[in-house]
Amino acid sequence: MALLVCGSIGIDTVHTPDGDSRENVLGGSCTYFAAAASFFGGVRLVAAVGEDFPPDLRRTFDKFPEIDLRGLEVRKGSKTFRWGGKYLANMDQRESLFTELNVLGEEAPPIPAAFADSTLVFLANAHPGRQMAILEGTPHRRLAVADTMDLWIKIAKDDLVGLLTRVDGLVLNYDEGELLTGKKNTVAAGRAILKMGPRFVVIKKGEHGCILVHKDGIAALPAYPTDNVVDPTGAGDTFAGGMMGRLAQMEAGSAGRDLGSFESVREAIVSGTVVASFTIEKFSLDRLVEIKVGDIGKRAAEYAAMLRVG
Ligand code: AMP
């Protein structure tokens, strides 16, 4: 009964359209994911950083005591992944300014033996071959969900299609859904992805929310409406972290529950939406280190009230 995430820990540089920017701040897919999931219970992290990983960034993890760091490898002689990005005027689209893979381009960090019994697995954005290796290392999983990005759709599509036959769910952006399937319509893209294997796909549309296309139904959720968008970096990963964290919490509360059912996933994406709405209010993890579980509950209640119609 445990949630595992494997992905990147990075040192980010982010520029926003109003001229504000931050250099060398904590980022990475599994950093954001694990922080978000930790509001719902324990989360096991598997990732590698280099010897250059700054102690002050490392200390941020201490603010999230529910993250189990036994799978964090500090690799001798290697450098930490670095990424730089610039947001366009609408804050929904961004350009990557640089990507220095460093340790991410080397051998994957091992899954500690103590994590092999993980039942929920999130494969954060990585080469699909590497994601497949994590599946092989987690034979007790009950639910596996993957993220992906345009790069892998372009350069490793066959591996990605192979991975999709082995996972329960996929989370991706609407433009990536179009790239993967050739379909502009989000629901049509979702249905085409279901034909590739997974039971459900969550297609994210930034400030327009997300659409869940599941073998047993379709649901659409708006984003939490706000004009307080400082830095959208990590919104996607914290969405996934909130979603998987909530599913892990459901599993803890009711062992036999079908975690991949339409009802379970629909409920979980509400948690993902709410946690992501905090991430974007400050740079890096600055907002997530401030909030408490109660803040998430309060905003979830406001969000539920807003959605009530009739
Ligand atoms: P998100 O905004 O949720 O899509 O995720 C942003 C995070 O992804 C940043 O903190 C980056 O460090 C990380 N990132 C960007 N490019 C890559 C990549 N090619 N592989 C892994 N992580 C990446």
Side-chain angles (χ1 to χ4, degrees), residues 17 21 56 61 73-74 83 144 167 197 267:
S21 63
D56 59 320
F61 285 100
E73 181 190 345
V74 181
W83 174 79
V167 294
E267 187 183 326

Side-chain angles (χ1 to χ4, degrees), residues 164-213:
L164 291 178
T165 65
R166 302 280 306 276
V167 294
D168 303 280
L170 179 71
V171 179
L172 81 180
N173 289 332
Y174 72 98
D175 49 344
E176 296 160 346
E178 183 185 338
L179 190 64
L180 180 58
T181 64
K183 303 212 181 285
K184 268 198 180 311
N185 177 282
T186 308
V187 175
R191 290 200 202 284
I193 292 168
L194 295 191
K195 287 205 181 112
M196 298 177 184
R199 200 172 163 198
F200 67 89
V201 52
V202 184
I203 302 184
K204 297 168 290 172
K205 303 184 99 174
E207 67 167 317
H208 303 296
C210 69
I211 295 191
L212 165 66
V213 182

Side-chain angles (χ1 to χ4, degrees), residues 115-138:
F115 289 3
D117 61 352
S118 301
T119 47
L120 289 97
V121 176
F122 187 73
L123 309 167
N125 177 25
H127 189 289
R130 189 172 273 210
Q131 292 175 307
M132 188 73 104
I134 305 298
L135 288 186
E136 309 289 350
T138 49

Side-chain angles (χ1 to χ4, degrees), residues 6 10 24 34 38 60 73 75 83 119 150 162 226 261 263 283:
C6 187
N24 302 328
S38 75
T60 304
E73 181 190 345
R75 191 166 297 172
W83 174 79
T119 47
D150 51 356
T226 178
S261 72
E263 288 72 24
F283 280 94

